[in-house]
Amino acid sequence: MVAKKKNVIDFSSSLPEIWRMLSDTEREMLRSSARIVHFKKNELIYLEDETPKELMCLFTGKVKIFKSGIGGRSQIIRIIRPVQYFGYRAYFARESYVTAAMAFESCTVCMIPMELIEKFLRKNGNLALFFIQMLSLDLGIADQRVVNLTQKHVRGRLAESLLGLKDSYGLEEDGATINIYLAREDLASLSNMTTSNAIRTLSNFVNERIIAIDGRKIKIIDEERLHKISRMG
Amino acid sequence: MVAKKKNVIDFSSSLPEIWRMLSDTEREMLRSSARIVHFKKNELIYLEDETPKELMCLFTGKVKIFKSGIGGRSQIIRIIRPVQYFGYRAYFARESYVTAAMAFESCTVCMIPMELIEKFLRKNGNLALFFIQMLSLDLGIADQRVVNLTQKHVRGRLAESLLGLKDSYGLEEDGATINIYLAREDLASLSNMTTSNAIRTLSNFVNERIIAIDGRKIKIIDEERLHKISRMG
DNA sequence: GTATATTTGTGTTTTAGAACATAGTTCTAT
DNA sequence: ATAGAACTATGTTCTAAAACACAAATATAC
């Protein structure tokens, strides 16, 4: 039997920022306490109200971070792409998770005990700054999102989501199709609208030749128009 | 002439968390580079697109952090009370400010060069953790706010804002009147609604004996009802 | 491979809240 | 002290988007 892949993970390329900032001893500690976990499509990675214990780094796959709101209506807060870190905010805030995370598709995630990370960053100013910068960027995005979701109309919000998905997950070989396979319901939850409205507005975009649809696959035809619609709200 | 108050600021009580974590040398450096600035009611403290240079700590007064959204429609993102730090996120993210800050009322603010703070926290794990924790708490609040502002109805959002104002600024001696003097327009901007709707909904709350109004002063009569309205959306 | 569940699509109805209009009231500046 | 500006209040109209209803098309499980 061939050696399992998980034992020969190249952390230096998989955990780029963190790995680079550590000393040799720290790297060894990290290597021995990190674990790789696989999640199937639609599997939950962590749940609201759980106690955060590990820093997670998405190696492969796609993840959504979501919140269940009023009357259980759930809302996607952000999406994670390889190689991004997630799951650490609540630990640092000394809170339970206020969000949940689910695999959009089959995923591999590296889990590192948060105690270890906290220990490292107390000594390692660069690592501390790295986390401060990630949190600061996310907070800026969250502030922007408040304005976008509350002030833009349905078309603007959907256009913005499509552009955001393209930014996060890129395009397929044809240079136009967004590289994600997403249910209309998720697209709606990301854009803060009902599923009906996501479907309807998507159809409108097709009629206006801004996008093309093949099942769940979305091809961007007129990106400039999308930008304009997103900007105008 | 009497010595100016600003020269005898007691940093140990005014900058509680940060001061406590510093060494004597660091304290001396901070003392010599910090400056105290006074802002009059409605004066701008910093502007969108400016370059962030200083950590700010509100000693006295009340401050709003706001963003101008689609078509210049402005929205209050968060409010600051004494003694809270603000104005540092954009520096850490290596961005320009994406928000602006304005004094609700006459304020004193302590300004500390961010370069100094960054230098300190690279060496000082506790200080780094302090900023990480503040950012993590704010990010959690921002995520919650996205759901609240997009899913709750007007009544729920207004009830939530009133309770938030009470939490931030407390009550007056009567144990019921919220200790802030706020225009309806600001209350609307905080709750993501039009001024008309803020006024109308406030009137409804008065009719329902949940609150009482005397000009801009708001007295909470039935806090339990407010909580219920806020929770139900 | 077929049955069942889920997702997608579209038309219709309803409603919350924005937009607008106008008047009375309270600040604020000189 | 008074004029003008800004804020508060309330009624009316209009509209975007939610809610609902029901096919049709896919996906998933057994």
Side-chain angles (χ1 to χ4, degrees):
Chain A
M1 187 189 171
V2 183
K4 284 187 215 154
K5 276 264 174 54
K6 67 147 87 172
N7 293 327
V8 291
I9 286 284
D10 175 8
F11 285 102
S12 65
S13 70
S14 302
L15 293 172
E17 301 90 349
I18 286 190
W19 195 256
R20 188 159 35 78
M21 294 172 184
L22 298 182
S23 69
D24 286 347
T25 356
E26 286 171 336
R27 281 181 191 160
E28 201 34 64
M29 288 175 73
L30 190 150
R31 199 195 303 270
S32 67
S33 28
R35 65 197 179 101
I36 307 287
V37 184
H38 200 93
F39 294 93
K40 287 193 286 259
K41 186 178 171 164
N42 293 330
E43 249 187 305
L44 282 159
I45 298 174
Y46 65 77
L47 281 170
E48 224 159 319
D49 299 323
E50 274 182 4
T51 304
K53 292 190 160 54
E54 290 169 303
L55 170 67
M56 300 173 194
C57 181
L58 183 62
F59 281 177
T60 65
K62 301 181 177 79
V63 167
K64 66 172 165 184
I65 308 293
F66 63 102
K67 245 176 119 47
S68 75
I70 315 300
R73 188 178 143 202
S74 97
Q75 181 151 353
I76 296 179
I77 298 292
R78 65 188 126 253
I79 54 179
I80 310 292
R81 65 166 176 277
V83 183
Q84 278 189 329
Y85 297 92
F86 66 103
Y88 55 89
R89 186 209 66 81
Y91 178 89
F92 284 132
R94 272 61 172 138
E95 295 173 346
S96 298
Y97 280 122
V98 297
T99 54
M102 183 187 272
F104 269 137
E105 54 181 56
S106 171
C107 288
T108 40
V109 179
C110 178
M111 309 272 205
I112 304 163
M114 278 302 303
E115 280 110 16
L116 194 64
I117 294 292
E118 180 168 342
K119 205 173 106 186
F120 286 177
L121 69 79
R122 277 181 184 279
K123 306 262 175 193
N124 185 330
N126 285 329
L127 191 61
L129 250 299
F130 172 69
F131 277 99
I132 287 176
Q133 189 173 8
M134 277 203 299
L135 285 162
S136 294
L137 286 167
D138 277 349
L139 183 56
I141 293 167
D143 286 348
Q144 183 62 53
R145 199 171 153 75
V146 168
V147 174
N148 285 342
L149 287 186
T150 57
Q151 295 195 7
K152 284 184 187 173
H153 285 185
V154 164
R155 285 169 63 88
R157 301 204 302 270
L158 187 66
E160 195 195 358
S161 291
L162 294 178
L163 292 168
L165 287 170
K166 185 214 141 196
D167 273 358
S168 284
Y169 298 130
L171 301 172
E172 298 182 352
E173 305 73 43
D174 66 358
T177 304
I178 302 173
N179 186 26
I180 189 171
Y181 187 76
L182 206 61
R184 299 288 189 268
E185 191 182 349
D186 278 325
L187 195 54
S189 159
L190 191 63
S191 317
N192 185 42
M193 62 185 68
T194 54
T195 307
S196 305
N197 262 325
I199 290 166
R200 207 182 305 270
T201 309
L202 229 36
S203 296
N204 291 341
F205 284 176
V206 170
N207 290 336
E208 298 168 46
R209 313 227 175 281
I210 300 169
I211 60 170
I213 286 178
D214 178 16
R216 290 190 177 181
K217 280 296 182 178
I218 298 170
K219 183 188 279 192
I220 298 179
I221 295 175
D222 190 345
E223 183 166 342
E224 199 36 63
R225 281 286 298 285
L226 273 186
H227 276 290
K228 195 174 292 178
I229 293 169
S230 166
R231 243 181 290 118
M232 303 299 292
Chain B
M1 187 190 170
V2 185
K4 283 189 214 152
K5 275 265 172 54
K6 65 148 84 170
N7 294 328
V8 291
I9 286 284
D10 175 9
F11 285 103
S12 66
S13 70
S14 302
L15 292 173
E17 301 89 349
I18 286 190
W19 195 257
R20 189 159 35 78
M21 293 171 183
L22 298 182
S23 69
D24 286 346
T25 356
E26 286 170 337
R27 281 181 192 161
E28 202 34 64
M29 289 175 72
L30 191 149
R31 199 195 303 271
S32 66
S33 26
R35 64 197 180 101
I36 307 286
V37 185
H38 199 92
F39 294 94
K40 288 194 284 260
K41 186 176 172 166
N42 294 329
E43 249 186 304
L44 282 159
I45 298 174
Y46 65 78
L47 282 169
E48 224 158 319
D49 299 323
E50 274 182 4
T51 304
K53 292 191 160 55
E54 290 169 304
L55 170 66
M56 299 173 194
C57 182
L58 183 63
F59 280 178
T60 65
K62 301 181 177 78
V63 166
K64 66 172 165 182
I65 308 293
F66 63 102
K67 243 174 119 48
S68 75
I70 315 300
R73 188 177 146 203
S74 98
Q75 181 150 354
I76 296 179
I77 299 292
R78 67 188 124 251
I79 55 179
I80 309 291
R81 64 166 177 276
V83 182
Q84 278 190 328
Y85 298 92
F86 65 103
Y88 56 88
R89 187 209 65 82
Y91 177 89
F92 284 133
R94 273 59 171 138
E95 294 173 348
S96 297
Y97 281 122
V98 298
T99 54
M102 183 187 272
F104 268 138
E105 54 181 59
S106 171
C107 289
T108 39
V109 179
C110 178
M111 309 271 205
I112 304 163
M114 279 301 304
E115 280 110 18
L116 195 65
I117 294 292
E118 180 168 344
K119 205 173 107 188
F120 287 176
L121 69 78
R122 277 181 186 280
K123 305 261 173 192
N124 185 331
N126 285 329
L127 191 61
L129 249 300
F130 172 70
F131 277 99
I132 288 176
Q133 189 174 7
M134 277 204 298
L135 285 162
S136 294
L137 286 167
D138 277 348
L139 183 55
I141 293 167
D143 285 349
Q144 183 62 52
R145 197 169 153 78
V146 168
V147 174
N148 285 341
L149 287 186
T150 57
Q151 295 195 8
K152 284 184 186 172
H153 286 185
V154 165
R155 284 170 62 89
R157 302 204 301 271
L158 186 66
E160 195 195 1
S161 291
L162 294 178
L163 292 168
L165 287 169
K166 185 213 140 195
D167 273 357
S168 284
Y169 298 130
L171 301 173
E172 297 184 353
E173 305 73 44
D174 67 356
T177 304
I178 302 173
N179 185 26
I180 190 172
Y181 188 75
L182 206 60
R184 300 288 189 268
E185 190 181 351
D186 277 326
L187 195 54
S189 158
L190 191 63
S191 317
N192 185 42
M193 62 186 69
T194 54
T195 307
S196 303
N197 262 325
I199 290 167
R200 208 184 305 269
T201 310
L202 229 35
S203 297
N204 291 341
F205 284 176
V206 171
N207 290 335
E208 297 168 46
R209 312 225 176 285
I210 300 168
I211 61 171
I213 286 179
D214 178 15
R216 289 188 177 181
K217 280 295 182 179
I218 299 170
K219 184 188 279 193
I220 298 180
I221 295 175
D222 190 345
E223 183 166 341
E224 198 35 63
R225 280 285 299 285
L226 273 188
H227 275 291
K228 196 175 291 176
I229 293 169
S230 167
R231 244 181 288 118
M232 301 300 289

